[in-house]
Amino acid sequence: MQALADGLGWARGGTADHPVLVTGRSAGDARLRPVGQYEERYTDGESYVELAVPVATAAPDAAAQTAAFRAVGEELTAALGRPSVMGSHGEMRPFYDSGPLWGAPFMRRRGSPDTLELRAGKAGPELVLQPTDPAENWFWRQGHGEEHAISGFFGSNRDPAKAGLGFPGGWTARSWETVTRSLGDFLEALPAEAVALGVGFGMPFYGRTGGGAPLHFDLACGDRLSIGCFAPDGVDAASLGWGTVAEHPGTASVWGTTIRCGGWTREAPANPRAAPSQRCSWRRPGRRA
């Protein structure tokens, strides 16, 4: 680490518990994370688990943060090629850290022995250099099945850099309250994260009955999140809060004119915590799935 600091002309500073490298950059100093109580079980001789370098700052609102992340991501892709893994850390990232409220997107270029990750920091996007094994070891061990053990989402491409990469198992919700709360937290940040990553999502939601696995809901998300409902025969979807495509014209390009859609079709980036009352328009039908 000293050789890296010397090569970049950065001086060491901070304290033993919170060391920094003084970069002189307007975005702020680089932060070193030493191996401590929450990291040591995932390491094998490393002294640090990450070097986080702020690369840009932006206003705290979701729109500004999303735009800053997207701009840095596009610049990195032009210089280094596509990331091998991208997604969102959700509510918790290594090592038991929380991300910003608007979302927690990341783009990762996996290597051996080190990985370079662009992630959403508290004040703006950060480049994080980290030894590959500790972070992936932490991630893998979250697949123990307890509620809320892991959140967010991960996507990868067919990159040779992914050799040996594993994905942990999921977890089973023990109540409808857990389902609605967790699904709500995931969907609230999804439009902003999609814009930040420059991707779109399509996700069908199937039920499970004695007669098969019918499609109940269809989700489409880019700069706008839309949820469509395939109500079973005999179910009054309108009484459960669902409207028609005619009532929500922003969904017409996704589903034509026949599907019923949720009242929550909002553009991103928006404040993911700003409109809790709107969540009910899809939450109520979700509890009947």
Side-chain angles (χ1 to χ4, degrees):
M1 190 58 66
Q2 188 61 54
L4 174 64
D6 291 343
L8 294 171
W10 295 350
R12 302 196 69 154
T15 65
D17 292 335
H18 302 283
V20 301
L21 296 179
V22 182
T23 66
R25 296 169 53 89
S26 60
D29 293 330
R31 304 184 311 278
L32 286 163
R33 180 162 182 166
V35 173
Q37 175 184 358
Y38 298 110
E39 300 87 10
E40 59 185 357
R41 67 180 297 188
Y42 308 107
T43 59
D44 184 21
E46 293 89 356
S47 299
Y48 302 95
V49 291
E50 67 178 38
L51 170 65
V53 183
V55 293
T57 57
D61 62 278
Q65 291 290 325
T66 300
F69 186 99
R70 175 100 177 234
V72 175
E74 290 176 346
E75 187 174 350
L76 281 175
T77 299
L80 303 177
R82 296 172 59 199
S84 49
V85 184
M86 67 164 61
S88 168
H89 287 297
E91 296 185 350
M92 187 170 59
R93 66 191 183 199
F95 296 82
Y96 304 103
D97 274 356
S98 61
L101 287 177
W102 69 268
F106 71 86
M107 293 181 173
R108 184 178 302 158
R109 288 162 175 86
R110 183 176 187 257
S112 179
D114 298 313
T115 287
L116 182 66
E117 178 175 296
L118 174 67
R119 74 180 181 198
K122 298 296 176 64
E126 301 176 337
L127 270 178
V128 182
L129 180 65
Q130 54 191 2
T132 300
D133 287 346
E136 293 186 357
N137 190 5
W138 178 89
F139 178 52
W140 179 258
R141 293 197 191 188
Q142 302 316 300
H144 48 65
E146 291 297 318
E147 287 189 343
H148 309 292
I150 194 167
S151 58
F153 59 89
F154 289 77
S156 61
N157 59 27
R158 296 182 179 180
D159 191 317
K162 298 195 342 302
L165 177 64
F167 292 89
W171 50 270
T172 301
R174 298 186 176 91
S175 69
W176 276 114
E177 286 71 24
T178 297
V179 172
T180 55
R181 183 173 64 252
S182 299
L183 186 60
D185 290 341
F186 169 70
L187 293 179
E188 280 180 325
L190 192 61
E193 291 173 335
V195 171
L197 295 170
V199 297
F201 301 95
M203 289 181 279
F205 286 75
Y206 292 88
R208 185 163 55 185
T209 68
L215 174 64
H216 286 312
F217 305 101
D218 190 23
L219 180 149
C221 185
D223 60 353
R224 176 183 290 269
L225 172 64
S226 302
I227 303 175
C229 172
F230 296 86
D233 293 340
V235 173
D236 183 2
S239 69
L240 297 174
W242 296 95
T244 63
V245 171
E247 294 167 336
H248 301 277
T251 65
S253 62
V254 181
W255 293 304
T257 60
T258 58
I259 193 171
R260 286 193 173 271
C261 63
W264 187 28
T265 55
R266 64 176 175 83
E267 295 181 1
N271 185 337
R273 310 296 181 186
S277 63
Q278 291 182 307
R279 291 165 60 181
C280 294
S281 62
W282 59 264
R283 260 195 178 183
R284 289 188 297 164
R287 293 175 67 89
R288 294 291 188 92

